Amino acid sequence: MSKVSTGRVLIGGAAVVAASLLVYACAGGSGGASVAAGDAAARVYVAPGSYDEFYAFMSGGFNGQIGVYGLPSGRRLKTIPVFSQYPENGYGYTEETKPLLNTSFGMIPWDDTHHPALSQTNGEDDGRWLFINGNNTPRVARIELTRMETEEIIEIPNAAGNHGSPFVTENTEYLVASTRFSVPVPNRDVPIGDFKKAFKGQISFVVANEPGKMRIAFQLVVPGFSYDLARSGKGPSHGWMFLSTYNTEQANSLLEVNASQNDKDYVAAVNWKAIESCAKAGKARPAAAEYMHNYMDEKSRVAKSERMTSVPQLTPADCPGSIYFMPTPKSPHGADVDPTGEYITAGGKLASVIPVHSFSKMTKAIEGKEFAGEIDGIPVLKYESTIAGEVTNPGLGPLHTQFDDKGFAYTSFFLSSEIVKWNVETREVVDRVPTYYSIGHLLVPGGGTSKPTGKYVVAMNKITKDRYLPTGPELTQSAQLYDITGDKMKLLLDFPTEGEPHYAQAILASKIKDRQVKFFTLAENTHPQVAKTEAAAGISRQGRAVHVKMTSIRSHFAPDNIEGVRLGDTVYFHVTNLEQDWDIPHGFAVMGNAQAAELLIMPGETRTLKWVPTKVGVHPFYCTDFCSALHQEMQGYIRVSAPGSAVALTATLSKPTTAPAPAGNK
């Protein structure tokens, strides 16, 4: 490869392709230290009845969910539905969970998840919550980790392509969400050719430390660049957030060429403490904006939506000293902060170096006004004034960096398909291993916090052509587990993943395992249609709506026979699981249901299935989740008669409950 000047972009499109092909041709090389198959298997083996050391939460990418895996085994434990309907448990189909998917555009049953983020206390993962972004329709969700369920979602206004989110501050004071696609702010009908004049970016700070009350504290309107991955400061840099930016050219067409013209893009250093002070001083202006806040009520387990109509906005001019741009080699994908809070790295996808900025040098440069210019009133610091050093010739296509507890950093390289280990203080490469193939993000448990667990690094790879049994045109995504306890990284395990995991978080299982909810207390269930005993079960008519209060327990439904429903009615099955024992859910499904999935009702919980019959006849319903030896016997029937039928509305188990017969269609 020809030599290039330090810190400059060197790879043109043809050279990138050629380099990539060369890498693939050479990918069979072992790289790093080899591990005997038996030894590797022993290191990831979790004996029957034993537990993994870590929970790993991997974004599902285009499936809109989160996958939960055990490490080191790589076993998939659960899928947490977030932004997409999930037929397995009825999420997004039940009347209780549908409101979680409400947006200002209406109910959106799908989104694209990218970046899970664990809540933190003093810069350390604390195991309370997991947050994740919806990329397509800009949203941020909170997952409660004692239940591993989505409990709250807030839409982000004035944003498009919510890729740069959600990144938590050191004590979960805020989640930070920035826009990938700058749009007119406020959004309106303007020519796309007016991009540089009318299009803006935004950085939103979302209050997230009280369940059910997520809100946008303030939104900073910034130049119309593309804002990407971020990391909060910690220790000495607490109060700052560092975001990567690209497309500083503000191109709006053929970005692969037109957004790669500038020699450098920026890391945006945002002083959120200063913005917070400006907002408290009344400098934020309420700007009209329509967006939704959805949350799950803890006792009734029924989600609610509220429509928001304004957002507090500021500009850098409103709050001088709130944001600075640090030049960094072009097209950075992420900005990462080491455990000490002193060093900020950025991986320029088209650069030959990994720049390492110094927080202390940055603050001195700000004090000394060592500026190279300004953009829309935002000072641009001189590159040499903030840079601590560069990792030179590390590989091709640096993306994302994680840190261990021994002073080393691990950077993923998409084009050269490898992980490179380097010393944070000296910026020297000390090891590299190939990945199979085309790694995107990578994970060290706690690798973005002040207390990493330096045991494993996990590669999340985009291509798996020859790694697993083929499954037609669509192949599985892949994760690979490497041991990093020694000087050399060692590949231990390949395991398939669902969706396309973009990023992941992992936490010691000991922090959350013993806090898992085992069942919901039936006595505390405040659902408006709960039936806490079989005697409370029954049926009622409200015009053309028929409400069935139903209970489930091993191994029957009450009621199990329903008559008097007519074509044109809408039936709501409100099913309460009376069990008060761990791992005894009950399922519920009815034949001919064209609008919803099944229900999966946890012990002590009530869930509602909306059913609109389309045919006259007798339709069975049954339990879909194995619950006992008499699971097959757990069933019932609902009779649907013609419009105008005089069949009495009745519900029976062993003792019938009867509602007055309808006078006719209403």
Side-chain angles (χ1 to χ4, degrees):
M1 180 181 293
S2 59
K3 206 169 182 181
V4 295
S5 59
T6 300
R8 291 184 61 83
V9 174
L10 38 156
I11 307 170
V16 168
V17 173
S20 301
L21 293 173
L22 177 62
V23 168
Y24 280 115
C26 300
S30 60
S34 61
V35 181
D39 185 30
R43 292 194 200 184
V44 301
Y45 178 68
V46 178
S50 298
Y51 300 121
D52 280 286
E53 185 178 2
F54 296 93
Y55 285 102
F57 302 97
M58 294 188 173
S59 67
F62 43 69
N63 76 9
Q65 324 288 23
I66 290 174
V68 185
Y69 297 81
L71 296 180
S73 73
R75 298 182 295 196
R76 176 183 168 273
L77 305 175
K78 182 183 176 69
T79 295
I80 303 174
V82 186
F83 296 113
S84 297
Q85 292 176 310
Y86 192 53
E88 180 178 301
N89 62 9
Y91 178 88
Y93 293 101
T94 69
E95 298 305 294
E96 292 80 8
T97 58
K98 283 180 184 178
L100 286 172
L101 299 179
N102 285 341
T103 76
S104 61
F105 300 92
M107 180 187 173
I108 303 293
W110 171 86
D111 213 316
D112 181 17
T113 56
H114 278 232
H115 305 123
L118 288 161
S119 57
Q120 294 184 14
T121 301
N122 297 323
E124 183 179 357
D125 294 331
D126 58 27
R128 291 178 295 165
W129 306 305
L130 182 74
F131 304 96
I132 195 163
N133 59 326
N135 189 31
N136 182 56
T137 304
R139 290 173 280 178
V140 171
R142 178 208 305 274
I143 291 90
E144 219 291 332
L145 286 181
T146 63
R147 300 192 300 268
M148 296 202 184
E149 291 182 337
T150 301
E151 67 167 14
E152 191 170 7
I153 295 176
I154 190 168
E155 191 178 356
I156 308 296
N158 300 316
N162 183 42
H163 191 254
S165 92
F167 299 98
V168 300
T169 55
E170 195 172 23
N171 291 293
T172 320
E173 297 95 340
Y174 299 107
L175 306 178
V176 173
S178 61
T179 187
R180 172 182 171 187
F181 308 121
S182 289
V183 292
V185 176
N187 211 337
R188 58 201 186 278
D189 181 11
V190 299
I192 296 173
D194 287 349
F195 189 102
K196 292 186 177 181
K197 182 174 70 173
F199 287 51
K200 296 291 182 182
Q202 61 77 31
I203 303 170
S204 293
F205 288 78
V206 180
V207 176
N209 53 16
E210 190 173 353
K213 297 183 179 178
M214 290 174 74
R215 63 181 175 84
I216 299 174
F218 40 83
Q219 190 173 75
L220 187 67
V221 179
V222 287
F225 305 156
S226 293
Y227 296 81
D228 212 349
L229 309 189
R231 190 70 71 192
S232 72
K234 52 182 75 78
S237 54
H238 175 66
W240 290 78
M241 180 66 68
F242 302 93
L243 303 89
S244 60
T245 73
Y246 63 100
N247 191 22
T248 54
E249 298 85 352
Q250 296 183 276
N252 59 72
S253 178
L254 293 175
L255 264 62
E256 62 182 0
V257 174
N258 295 324
S260 301
Q261 300 301 307
N262 292 342
D263 183 52
K264 290 184 174 67
D265 290 301
Y266 303 112
V267 168
V270 181
N271 186 339
W272 62 260
K273 282 282 190 180
I275 304 173
E276 182 181 66
S277 295
C278 289
K280 288 179 179 178
K283 295 184 179 180
R285 298 176 298 278
E290 184 185 16
Y291 57 104
M292 300 298 291
H293 172 229
N294 313 317
Y295 60 96
M296 182 71 73
D297 180 79
E298 183 179 358
K299 298 299 184 184
S300 70
R301 311 271 299 132
V302 176
K304 301 177 181 178
S305 293
E306 56 181 352
R307 188 176 300 275
M308 314 301 290
T309 57
S310 71
V311 62
Q313 273 186 357
L314 301 99
T315 67
D318 298 321
C319 196
S322 61
I323 180 171
Y324 298 87
F325 285 142
M326 293 193 293
T328 205
K330 76 168 58 177
S331 297
H333 187 58
D336 294 284
V337 180
D338 87 308
T340 70
E342 167 61 15
Y343 297 113
I344 304 106
T345 69
K349 292 180 289 186
L350 301 181
S352 60
V353 301
I354 301 173
V356 182
H357 299 274
S358 160
F359 178 73
S360 56
K361 289 189 71 173
M362 183 197 82
T363 54
K364 288 180 182 177
I366 291 170
E367 292 169 5
K369 299 187 183 301
E370 299 176 35
F371 302 144
E374 69 171 39
I375 298 173
D376 289 358
I378 300 172
V380 178
L381 294 162
K382 293 180 179 178
Y383 182 70
E384 60 272 16
S385 296
T386 67
I387 202 75
E390 297 171 335
V391 183
T392 56
N393 298 319
L396 298 176
L399 289 182
H400 179 218
T401 297
Q402 293 270 272
F403 303 90
D404 68 13
D405 56 346
K406 304 176 188 68
F408 294 103
Y410 302 79
T411 301
S412 57
F413 286 81
F414 176 77
L415 294 176
S416 51
S417 284
E418 60 184 335
I419 299 172
V420 173
K421 176 181 178 181
W422 50 277
N423 186 297
V424 176
E425 287 288 344
T426 66
R427 270 76 70 184
E428 296 175 323
V429 172
V430 296
D431 191 27
R432 63 178 70 235
V433 291
T435 62
Y436 304 97
Y437 306 100
S438 293
I439 181 175
H441 284 278
L442 76 174
L443 160 71
V444 173
T449 73
S450 60
K451 291 187 178 179
T453 305
K455 198 163 186 177
Y456 303 111
V457 62
V458 179
M460 282 156 276
N461 303 324
K462 305 298 186 185
I463 297 171
T464 59
K465 284 181 181 176
D466 56 1
R467 302 300 290 180
Y468 306 107
L469 287 171
T471 52
E474 183 185 5
L475 301 179
T476 182
Q477 306 290 319
S478 170
Q480 293 184 297
L481 180 78
Y482 296 80
D483 180 350
I484 59 171
T485 56
D487 292 336
K488 300 294 183 181
M489 294 176 280
K490 299 175 181 179
L491 177 61
L492 300 179
L493 179 70
D494 277 28
F495 59 97
T497 58
E498 59 178 329
E500 181 193 1
H502 289 262
Y503 183 44
Q505 295 270 273
I507 188 170
L508 284 166
S510 58
K511 289 190 175 185
I512 58 177
K513 176 176 71 69
D514 295 334
R515 295 170 45 229
Q516 293 302 296
V517 170
K518 295 184 176 180
F519 56 85
F520 298 101
T521 303
L522 184 61
E524 297 177 355
N525 184 332
T526 63
H527 192 288
Q529 298 285 351
V530 64
K532 296 184 180 180
T533 64
E534 288 190 12
I539 189 167
S540 62
R541 174 180 288 281
Q542 298 172 8
R544 288 192 171 185
V546 175
H547 292 271
V548 182
K549 278 189 178 182
M550 181 178 286
T551 62
S552 62
I553 196 167
R554 288 166 287 183
S555 294
H556 62 270
F557 293 108
D560 63 357
N561 287 319
I562 300 163
E563 298 189 52
V565 172
R566 299 169 301 188
L567 209 61
D569 288 342
T570 296
V571 182
Y572 295 89
F573 293 95
H574 310 286
V575 186
T576 300
N577 183 344
L578 298 182
E579 309 281 357
Q580 290 290 267
D581 197 3
W582 194 19
D583 199 24
I584 308 294
H586 287 297
F588 179 84
V590 59
M591 189 176 80
N593 185 3
Q595 295 187 346
E598 66 156 351
L599 299 180
L600 191 62
I601 313 109
M602 297 300 113
E605 180 180 56
T606 303
R607 282 287 178 260
T608 301
L609 184 145
K610 177 182 176 181
W611 183 62
V612 181
T614 59
K615 293 182 179 181
V616 168
V618 177
H619 306 273
F621 54 81
Y622 67 104
C623 176
T624 56
D625 190 70
F626 182 86
C627 55
S628 71
L630 296 176
H631 167 69
Q632 289 289 97
E633 284 72 21
M634 193 168 176
Q635 66 173 60
Y637 292 99
I638 182 166
R639 174 186 172 190
V640 178
S641 301
S645 167
V647 175
L649 186 65
T650 60
T652 65
L653 180 60
S654 56
K655 190 174 182 180
T657 61
T658 304
N665 282 332
K666 295 183 180 179

